[in-house]
Amino acid sequence: MKNLETIPERLQYLSEKDPDKELYIFYNCGVRDAYTCRELFTLGGRFAYRLHQLGFQKGDVIANTLSNSPERLVTDVGIVMAGCIALNGQVLLADGSDFFHSAKMSRSRAVIMADEGPAWQLMNKFISDDFRDGWLSPLAVSDAPELMSAIVVSRRGRSFLQEFKTGTQPTFLSPSEPDDILMVMTTSGSTGYCKLVPRTHRDTISKSVHQADEMSAGVEWAQSTDKKYIFYSDRMLGWSGGCSFYSICHADTRVMLDQFSSSSSSDKASELWEAVEAEQCQTCVFVAQEMENVRESLQKSGGPKKKLNTVIIGGQPCRKRQIQSAFCLAENVYTLYASTEAYPISSIILKDANYESNNCGRVVKGMFVKVCRDNGELCETNETGTIYIKGQYLFPGYFNRLENPNPQNLNVFTADGWFNTEDYGHFNEHGELFVFGRIKDIITYGSSVFYPGWLEKKLVEHSDIQETVIVPVTDPVLYQNVCACIRLRQSSDLDLDKLKEYCDAIFLADVSVYLTPKPKYFIIMKEEFPYTSTGKPDKQLLKRRAEELFGYSGKSTNIKQ
């Protein structure tokens, strides 16, 4: 298996040599739903056959907007078995501009969506009332002219998965090469818009080698039947840290919550931990917010019955308080510095809570990091500057099928191949990398980066708003939260409730709060903003004022007028 160089080859091998091994286990309101190697190969192959029948060709891009669920897993696998490319379809904005931008840039031919939730809210107006074969509909979207079909996935009646579980369709497996593009990930930027990051079969397997070595260190295996490693991960299947194919690469068993429906359990923290205990997971991969929710839930019941071996957290700079929370759940804590463009970059394994905030550990083997001043000179030890990277796990450039060469790549790579992360940090005297966030006018909102300029433009479209400045506020869990400084017109009677309603309408309903950076705090004023000598609002002054009012060590109110 370790010599097989594509994802379908590895899954086919597992389906033949270890057919009953459970690769993925979903929990939904306490109900367990497991998928073995053989079942996943069969279901994915049958979906691939349908795609092939419908005329999809090798290299076609299909956007998948489904949440973590068996349906997302099977459709991702089926896309790849058909020789197509799986694009992570991110849908946050009510006007759909984020999704349509990605679909247009990638020249996506189809979109997979549930018959409820954010993507359905956006796309159903483009869908014919009569689905061909019950789940396929033609599309006509001017903002993404090559997006011709919608594959609508339902759990009503004879469900989408049931059709493939009980059907007699043959499986289909298109030949693939190690350097074929397997998937296109979207960067976690909110309304930036997302950039598209391609990953080949070779890239994905190489990355999974490192992840498996770190997560299951000391787990020796020659055949998949020898490997007994079970972990929980809440990372989204379309994201770099939660990719659908990692368990296939290394025969690990992954446990996760089924989030197909927005009507799932409201107490996700308790449900999550019950799944972890039921499956006797050795490791949990968390985003910081979810880890905090689990810790608080367990505190009410007296703590965990048994600690995990390891908690893995990443995606944002970590504070000491978060590491201490992680040690409430596990004997070891693993934190890392990574991005969609390069995963991983550096990492550190902690045996106790003796941790300095923002420490991302040593650079991993195969990667190279330098910290530079604005003039390009290398920084001294403990001198903060811009972080540049290159090496084995770095992507080759952004994906864009409309323009060649892609103009997005011109400014992110230096002439000698270093990638500008736009993060700032430093190395200490022990060679450990400290990362403090983004250099530019960008807010680090949990594991997403948020571009405030876009929301500022949206807010000033309101007839009562004269001017808007969005600034970050420190947050104990998300690293930074969002504060909107609003200057109203003199005649305005706009109040906080109406302002919040307007902000809510910008984003699609039912989207996770962790992904939608709506302003949590507001400073509302009718007098002029403070301005700099250039005539622009003084963001630094407004930022300091917001921090005084709402920084996590300060006040609990959410409005000052």
Side-chain angles (χ1 to χ4, degrees), residues 346-361:
S346 67
S347 64
I348 184 171
I349 298 177
L350 303 166
K351 302 294 183 182
D352 56 54
N354 182 23
Y355 172 81
E356 190 174 350
S357 293
N358 305 97
N359 186 350
C360 295

Side-chain angles (χ1 to χ4, degrees), residues 313-414:
I313 52 177
Q316 66 185 71
C318 283
R319 294 194 170 94
K320 185 170 184 175
R321 177 182 178 276
Q322 291 168 318
I323 298 297
Q324 290 170 336
S325 292
F327 272 106
C328 295
L329 306 177
E331 301 292 343
N332 306 285
V333 177
Y334 174 79
T335 184
L336 71 161
Y337 172 45
S339 68
T340 310
E341 293 89 347
Y343 188 107
I345 301 169
S346 67
S347 64
I348 184 171
I349 298 177
L350 303 166
K351 302 294 183 182
D352 56 54
N354 182 23
Y355 172 81
E356 190 174 350
S357 293
N358 305 97
N359 186 350
C360 295
R362 294 180 180 275
V363 178
V364 301
K365 184 179 180 180
M367 289 298 291
F368 305 92
V369 175
K370 65 178 182 179
V371 181
C372 296
R373 301 171 182 142
D374 291 342
N375 63 7
E377 294 178 353
L378 290 177
C379 290
E380 301 290 339
T381 299
N382 293 316
E383 179 186 358
T384 297
T386 303
I387 298 172
Y388 290 82
I389 59 175
K390 65 163 39 176
Q392 178 180 347
Y393 303 118
L394 178 62
F395 81 132
Y398 294 112
F399 185 78
N400 182 345
R401 284 189 162 173
L402 294 182
E403 298 176 272
N404 187 16
N406 185 352
Q408 289 179 316
N409 294 325
L410 298 179
N411 297 323
V412 296
F413 289 98
T414 64

Side-chain angles (χ1 to χ4, degrees), residues 242-314:
C243 164
S244 303
F245 308 111
Y246 293 152
S247 286
I248 295 170
C249 289
H250 283 279
D252 293 330
T253 299
R254 176 176 174 180
V255 181
M256 68 188 99
L257 296 187
D258 179 351
Q259 301 180 50
F260 180 87
S261 173
S262 58
S263 60
S264 303
S265 169
S266 58
D267 187 5
K268 286 187 177 180
S270 296
E271 185 181 6
L272 184 164
W273 196 255
E274 287 170 6
V276 167
E277 289 189 328
E279 300 300 333
Q280 299 181 32
C281 295
Q282 293 112 305
T283 298
C284 274
V285 184
F286 284 128
V287 292
Q289 178 69 65
E290 199 67 79
M291 182 187 70
E292 200 65 24
N293 292 344
V294 169
R295 186 191 64 79
E296 290 177 1
S297 174
L298 288 172
Q299 264 189 334
K300 297 173 184 176
S301 59
K305 297 175 185 176
K306 180 184 177 182
K307 283 190 175 184
L308 299 162
N309 181 281
T310 305
V311 159
I312 300 176
I313 52 177

Side-chain angles (χ1 to χ4, degrees), residues 491-547:
S491 59
S492 171
D493 62 353
L494 185 68
D495 61 21
L496 179 63
D497 290 338
K498 292 178 181 177
L499 181 58
K500 284 185 172 180
E501 287 177 10
Y502 182 72
C503 290
D504 288 346
I506 293 171
F507 298 94
L508 284 164
D510 299 329
V511 177
S512 167
V513 68
Y514 312 142
L515 301 176
T516 49
K518 301 173 188 177
K520 181 178 181 180
Y521 307 110
F522 295 85
I523 297 176
I524 302 175
M525 54 206 300
K526 287 193 175 180
E527 68 273 18
E528 288 189 348
F529 284 148
Y531 294 98
T532 65
S533 58
T534 61
K536 296 181 179 180
D538 190 335
K539 282 199 170 187
Q540 292 306 313
L541 188 60
L542 289 168
K543 181 179 176 180
R544 286 197 296 271
R545 182 61 177 144
E547 189 64 30

Side-chain angles (χ1 to χ4, degrees), residues 64-80:
N64 201 339
T65 68
L66 298 178
S67 302
N68 280 9
S69 59
E71 291 87 347
R72 173 63 187 250
L73 174 65
V74 169
T75 50
D76 271 351
V77 169
I79 291 169
V80 172

Side-chain angles (χ1 to χ4, degrees), residues 48-158:
Y49 177 76
R50 292 298 296 274
L51 292 176
H52 181 64
Q53 275 191 318
L54 293 166
F56 289 96
Q57 302 291 320
K58 183 180 175 72
D60 284 344
V61 176
I62 299 176
N64 201 339
T65 68
L66 298 178
S67 302
N68 280 9
S69 59
E71 291 87 347
R72 173 63 187 250
L73 174 65
V74 169
T75 50
D76 271 351
V77 169
I79 291 169
V80 172
M81 290 180 69
C84 299
I85 299 170
L87 167 71
N88 183 43
Q90 184 164 295
V91 185
L92 299 181
L93 305 179
D95 63 4
S97 55
D98 54 343
F99 172 73
F100 292 134
H101 175 80
S102 296
K104 184 177 180 179
M105 295 280 283
S106 63
R107 302 180 74 171
S108 295
R109 283 197 57 202
V111 55
I112 300 174
M113 71 181 83
D115 63 347
E116 58 178 286
W120 178 256
Q121 294 172 42
L122 172 66
M123 300 294 293
N124 76 83
K125 58 180 174 287
F126 302 110
I127 294 176
S128 166
D129 290 335
D130 299 319
F131 298 162
R132 190 197 320 163
D133 294 329
W135 55 271
L136 184 78
S137 171
L139 282 180
V141 183
S142 59
D143 290 330
E146 295 182 64
L147 191 65
M148 303 297 290
S149 302
I151 296 170
V152 182
V153 176
S154 178
R155 289 186 174 178
R156 298 182 176 92
R158 188 165 184 260

